[in-house]
Amino acid sequence: MDITIILNGKKVQDQIEPDMALLDFVREHGCYSVKRGCESSNCGLCTVLMDEVPVLSCSVLAARADGHRVDTLEGLQEEAEEFVGFIADQGADQCGFCNPGFVMNTIALLRENPDPTDDEIRAFLAGNLCRCSGYEGQLRGIRSFLNSRKEEK
């Protein structure tokens, strides 16, 4: 079947098998930040934004994305650069494997709620599995970023 997706701002047309996961589609088109983890919608490593909403690409068929906009970390580097250093400063990127999922969900969170509480941050990032850091580093990094933005104003 033929599908057309706006992937990171570029129109991508391709022929796919009806059962192809969106995860496989974006990786076949060079978006290697989208990672295969649990393949059961439990780890958040495969998070992408579809029409600006975070979705787990391992559990979405590529055919469902036909006609939609899909953004991966490759297309959101500039926006991500604003805060990833704050997360790294807190030691929350130990192995780095989970970082793209955390970054994608943080971008979605900050677009939806530019001044979240700590509980709102925790709730938004709850679907991301990290085996290294214990999650508090990510929270401290995001909080530090938000505080720095307030200081700039």
Side-chain angles (χ1 to χ4, degrees), residues 23-45:
L23 166 69
D24 297 318
F25 181 87
V26 297
R27 286 187 62 83
E28 283 186 10
H29 289 88
C31 300
Y32 301 116
S33 70
V34 183
K35 297 178 181 166
R36 184 178 308 284
C38 67
E39 295 188 80
S40 60
S41 304
N42 287 310
C43 70
L45 294 174

Side-chain angles (χ1 to χ4, degrees), residues 3 8 11 33 38 43 50 59 63 74 79 92 108 122-123 129 133 136 142 151 153:
I3 64 170
N8 296 323
K11 185 177 180 179
S33 70
C38 67
C43 70
M50 188 161 81
S59 58
E74 285 82 0
E79 193 169 352
R122 282 187 192 99
L129 181 64
S133 72
E136 287 303 308
I142 294 166
E151 290 171 8
K153 292 178 181 179

Side-chain angles (χ1 to χ4, degrees), residues 93-107:
D93 63 343
Q94 292 176 22
C95 81
F97 196 68
C98 65
N99 283 357
F102 272 109
V103 170
M104 294 300 292
N105 278 304
T106 301
I107 288 171

Side-chain angles (χ1 to χ4, degrees), residues 68-142:
H68 294 272
R69 179 183 177 91
V70 174
D71 291 297
T72 69
L73 191 53
E74 285 82 0
L76 300 172
Q77 287 294 311
E78 194 171 304
E79 193 169 352
E81 284 175 7
E82 292 180 20
F83 65 86
V84 292
F86 288 89
I87 293 173
D89 286 345
Q90 296 299 320
D93 63 343
Q94 292 176 22
C95 81
F97 196 68
C98 65
N99 283 357
F102 272 109
V103 170
M104 294 300 292
N105 278 304
T106 301
I107 288 171
L109 166 66
L110 297 177
R111 285 179 175 181
E112 184 177 311
N113 182 355
D115 191 23
T117 65
D118 286 358
D119 285 340
E120 289 169 327
I121 295 169
R122 282 187 192 99
F124 219 89
L125 301 181
N128 290 85
L129 181 64
C130 177
R131 297 183 191 271
C132 300
S133 72
Y135 306 99
E136 287 303 308
Q138 286 92 346
L139 174 63
R140 285 191 314 268
I142 294 166

